[in-house]
Amino acid sequence: MSTSTAAEQVIRAGQGEALLEVKGLQRYFPVTRGIVFQRQVGAVKAVDGIDLSIHTGETLGVVGESGCGKTTTGRLVTRLDEPTGGSITFEGEDLTHLSRAKMRPFRREIQMIFQDPFSSLNPRQTIGTIIAAPFQIQKVDSEGGTKKAVQALMERVGLNPEHYNRYPHEFSGGQRQRIGVARALALRPKLIVCDEPVSALDVSIQAQIVNLLEDLQDEFNLAYLFIAHDLSVIRHISDRVAVMYLGKVVEVADRDELYNHARHPYTHALLSAVPEADPDALAHRERIRLTGDVPSPLNPPSGCRFRTRCWKAQDICAEQEPPLVQIGAPGHQAACHFPEERDVI
Amino acid sequence: MTESVTTTASTSAGTGKPFLELKNLQVHFPTDDGLVKAVNGLSFTLERGKTLGIVGESGSGKSVSSLAIMGLHKGSRAKVGGEIWLDGAELVGMSVPEIRRLRGQQVAMIFQDPLSAMHPFYRVGDQLVEAYRVHNEVPKSVARKRAIDLLDRVGIPSPDKRFFDYPHQFSGGMRQRAMIAMALMCDPQLLIADEPTTALDVTVQAQILDLMMDLQKEFNSAIVIITHDLGVVAQMAQDVVVMYGGRVVEAGPVREIFYRPEMPYTWGLLGSIPRVNRGGDHRLKSIRGTPPSLINLPKGCPFQPRCDYQQHVEGHSCTGEVPDLLQIGTEDHRVRCHIETGQRKKLFTEQIKPNL
Ligand SMILES: Nc1ncnc2c1ncn2[C@@H]1O[C@H](COP(=O)(O)OP(=O)(O)OP(=O)(O)O)[C@@H](O)[C@H]1O
Ligand SMILES: Nc1ncnc2c1ncn2[C@@H]1O[C@H](COP(=O)(O)OP(=O)(O)O)[C@@H](O)[C@H]1O
Ligand code: SF4
Ligand code: SF4
Ligand SMILES: [Mg+2]
Ligand SMILES: [Mg+2]
């Protein structure tokens, strides 16, 4: 579809009033030694100063390799975890250090769907109880009673409402993920953080869940923070995409801008590593091969964190950390001393 | 039912027999809930230097098939039928000591989870040395040199130092590479890789796949790669077998499967996946329903409960008869579906292809 309105274009470019605004977000996990007298010997810099914004009805994709801080970011945004620095603003309100009680009204607005549809559901609770939990916790009465509301939700996400009294183990992976979606949807949130919601599913089931999430977004004008390591899924579902590496956002842009005009070497490497399900296209693609693994977040490289694997690194890359700056189309930002376009997919 | 899928390569010089041939492999597990019919008549051939990809959803029988080739069902309750021929020897009927001799030497396997192949309490290097010395009577120093060489080849930095590490001291990607090194210690002619990169990040996956292709060129080994990732298959395989409910539903050269598929399940798979090189705001073409239970396989076509194309079948019953796996055209492309081939081609061109 190429008929986007001016308003949509503003949203795509990540401008205008944001629903969620994250600034300098940081989460260090202390590493301690000693049994009686614990002393801190270092910190895992899981998330180290990131800026993100999400608008109403928009999907921001977050992609990056294992351990780069995606889940931690999601947990901070939903306030399941406490940031050690930075700020989180939702509809203009600063949530960063709100108490449990003050946080309660916002919990309705921001929900989360987890990667593992097996461990994220209590095996001893019925589906009805699981999906009804948000009503109970928030002390919300719904018209016609909770059961009716839950069954309507089950129907909406493609579950048989008659299975209200069944237990999670009686459902397949895809169905369990639908249960997670129904639970997240119960209180009509404005933002859902989806942490790898389809990574554990088979492709045919993955497509069902992706389609469901897209339908629900259209129907309820939901915003998603969609976390995944699969670049094809991210391209499909996102309006804008942020690429993370070792606790930092290294590039962020409108979806097609990112996939067609990426400027950061790490983004190039990621994109060129995806095996496309197209034998002929693969044969003609440029291959960038990184060597080695992601360094430890306990002791990240100085300057640019990608420099130990970057083929373009110069002295300055070890000395100065490249800031995330505007480059290319509106809303496109990259953190590299030597950004350039490159055709990789 | 006799059915076969042949690699495009000509048969091994001299013998006239393919290097690896599976004939109507069946693996059934008696369980308390009933008989699990995990593999029901898998047949294919593979030549040295070539790669065969097996794709399918979880539970379609991929891993069970690969364990059968390794002889790893022996001594379990599994009932294995059919024939597996490797370089002139039949493996299904082989004794445990015989197949153990083959394992590691002629055939090696890479698993999805490297920790299942490596012992957590022994040093990585010692495990490689042991893998070599089981089959080769050489002094330790020779085996050690080879182990360090191979660790180097698979891209482990400072292999002479990392030789002494325990598996848990390696990252996921390094463990996977170490397992590949272990699998290669005895120059196996056949390498079976079951979801070798599923747990890895794309950049590391790309390194591992490149490595497998390089080593294949060098040692002229045959590779069976099992995966649910169609991209990995497109990159690695010359021939593809699509499995569903323990059966082959379509098989052929990789281009046939990706550009001229004829089985509705293959259409569904290709339509389900988002593409990294394409934008657009279309919905994915998902397949409705869920994969079948292997205890109560549907009667007739295994895909029947999820198939949207049954109205195009004439003169057969999707719910009553299992379609045969029949060859179409000349390219050794085989399809199991009751729809007549001309009609399938028409459906693909008119309805499926435009949406892929
Ligand atoms: N509670 C914790 N204590 C210490 N370190 C932690 C903790 N939680 C996460 N980490 C570390 O923080 C880093 C980021 O973790 P996170 O789970 O956010 O990664 P991720 O991007 O979600 O990775 P994946 O793709 O594997 O899910 C990792 O190095 C991880 O080991
Ligand atoms: N030892 C066993 N006993 C009973 N059933 C088994 C056993 N091993 C595998 N199965 C079943 O066989 C089917 C195929 O399994 P598998 O080959 O592992 O699937 P995949 O295609 O995902 O690799 C599954 O239904 C699985 O539960
Ligand atoms: S700043 Fe330097 S090391 Fe970092 S990505 Fe750019 S060129 Fe590479
Ligand atoms: S045989 Fe019938 S049910 Fe099976 S794939 Fe063909 S049309 Fe569909
Ligand atoms: Mg995570
Ligand atoms: Mg498997």
Side-chain angles (χ1 to χ4, degrees), chain A residues 261-284:
Chain A
H261 307 287
R263 305 293 171 93
H264 197 285
Y266 179 61
T267 312
H268 293 148
L270 271 186
L271 289 174
S272 95
V274 178
E276 180 61 19
D278 188 339
D280 288 342
L282 270 170
H284 297 117

Side-chain angles (χ1 to χ4, degrees), chain A residues 65-72 115 195-196 227:
Chain A
E65 287 175 285
S66 184
C68 70
K70 305 182 296 295
T71 298
T72 306
Q115 165 167 6
D195 187 9
E196 308 255 9
I227 298 170

Side-chain angles (χ1 to χ4, degrees), chain B residues 240-256:
Chain B
V240 181
V241 169
V242 183
M243 287 187 76
Y244 189 82
R247 288 184 193 280
V248 177
V249 293
E250 181 157 13
V254 67
R255 284 204 164 63
E256 286 288 304

Side-chain angles (χ1 to χ4, degrees), chain B residues 74-284:
Chain B
K74 286 183 195 288
S76 82
R77 281 190 302 173
K79 294 200 175 114
V80 182
E83 298 165 29
I84 301 172
W85 290 90
L86 178 71
D87 208 12
E90 203 286 312
L91 309 186
V92 173
M94 215 176 238
S95 71
V96 174
E98 275 178 300
I99 198 145
R100 210 172 268 157
R101 210 168 305 132
L102 231 76
R103 221 184 277 152
Q105 192 168 33
Q106 212 175 357
V107 198
M109 184 151 178
I110 308 173
F111 298 88
Q112 172 169 356
D113 172 15
L115 287 178
S116 64
M118 298 200 117
H119 200 292
F121 300 149
Y122 295 97
R123 294 174 198 279
V124 170
D126 290 339
Q127 298 191 48
L128 266 70
V129 165
E130 202 43 45
Y132 193 59
R133 300 225 306 161
V134 166
H135 299 292
N136 300 276
E137 276 180 40
V138 295
K140 254 198 172 127
S141 58
V142 174
R144 170 179 295 189
K145 187 170 173 302
R146 185 173 170 79
I148 292 173
D149 268 3
L150 270 166
L151 286 173
D152 191 28
R153 284 294 315 275
V154 299
I156 303 282
S158 1
D160 47 337
K161 293 199 188 70
R162 304 310 294 250
F163 180 93
F164 297 102
D165 279 357
Y166 291 93
H168 71 88
Q169 289 170 291
F170 278 22
S171 72
M174 281 163 69
R175 279 200 288 262
Q176 201 70 17
R177 276 174 269 183
M179 184 167 56
I180 294 181
M182 190 156 98
L184 295 171
M185 279 301 280
C186 301
D187 296 336
Q189 294 154 357
L190 172 64
L191 187 63
I192 300 173
D194 187 357
E195 309 268 7
T197 56
T198 302
L200 303 176
D201 282 312
V202 276
T203 62
V204 181
Q205 164 171 290
Q207 294 169 15
I208 301 284
L209 296 181
D210 282 354
L211 174 68
M212 285 173 59
M213 286 191 282
D214 286 351
L215 296 167
Q216 175 172 49
K217 268 188 214 123
E218 190 170 331
F219 300 112
N220 197 33
S221 24
I223 296 181
V224 177
I225 186 162
I226 296 170
T227 173
H228 64 272
D229 186 330
L230 292 167
V232 170
V233 170
Q235 178 168 349
M236 297 290 288
Q238 286 83 48
D239 292 275
V240 181
V241 169
V242 183
M243 287 187 76
Y244 189 82
R247 288 184 193 280
V248 177
V249 293
E250 181 157 13
V254 67
R255 284 204 164 63
E256 286 288 304
I257 300 296
F258 280 88
Y259 302 134
R260 285 173 290 282
E262 289 201 17
M263 160 81 194
Y265 175 64
T266 315
W267 296 343
L269 276 186
L270 289 168
S272 293
I273 47 169
R275 312 289 182 133
V276 77
N277 59 357
R278 262 170 269 168
D281 292 313
H282 64 282
R283 289 286 192 266
L284 297 170

